[in-house]
Amino acid sequence: MSIMCLVDDKQVPLYRVMWVAATPHFCGEEDCIREGYYEIRLEQGESVWANQEERDSMLNKLETWQGGEGIPDDDEDW
Ligand SMILES: [Zn+2]
């Protein structure tokens, strides 16, 4: 299976995901363009913003992903 998940027009590698928001973003700002979107936090302080469908897809993939699979790592003994 793919270790990439499409979020907000970006292919995000599963192993870069730190956490996924359980609730949609709300900050109360009138011009907030992220309201109703779910934050997906990546390594190095980056975030991508997923709609509910993308968020669910990401969670599904993370749950079924064999952790470590696909991560470039020369030390692994395959
Ligand atoms: Zn906001």
Side-chain angles (χ1 to χ4, degrees), residues 21 23-26 33-39 49-51 54:
T23 54
H25 174 76
F26 176 78
I33 58 167
R34 302 305 186 189
E35 199 169 310
Y37 283 77
Y38 294 80
E39 185 172 10
W49 295 85
N51 61 30
E54 291 168 335

Side-chain angles (χ1 to χ4, degrees), residues 15-75:
Y15 56 80
R16 292 205 60 208
V17 175
M18 302 280 98
W19 50 256
V20 178
T23 54
H25 174 76
F26 176 78
C27 65
E29 289 188 30
E30 250 174 59
D31 58 351
C32 182
I33 58 167
R34 302 305 186 189
E35 199 169 310
Y37 283 77
Y38 294 80
E39 185 172 10
I40 295 177
R41 188 73 160 187
L42 308 178
E43 291 171 349
Q44 288 153 7
E46 290 178 70
S47 291
V48 291
W49 295 85
N51 61 30
Q52 190 172 12
E53 195 179 323
E54 291 168 335
R55 199 278 309 247
D56 289 349
S57 165
M58 174 62 87
L59 285 178
N60 261 323
K61 283 178 173 243
L62 285 170
E63 276 170 14
T64 54
W65 177 48
Q66 307 286 318
E69 188 182 324
I71 298 180
D73 188 341
D74 295 335
D75 296 326

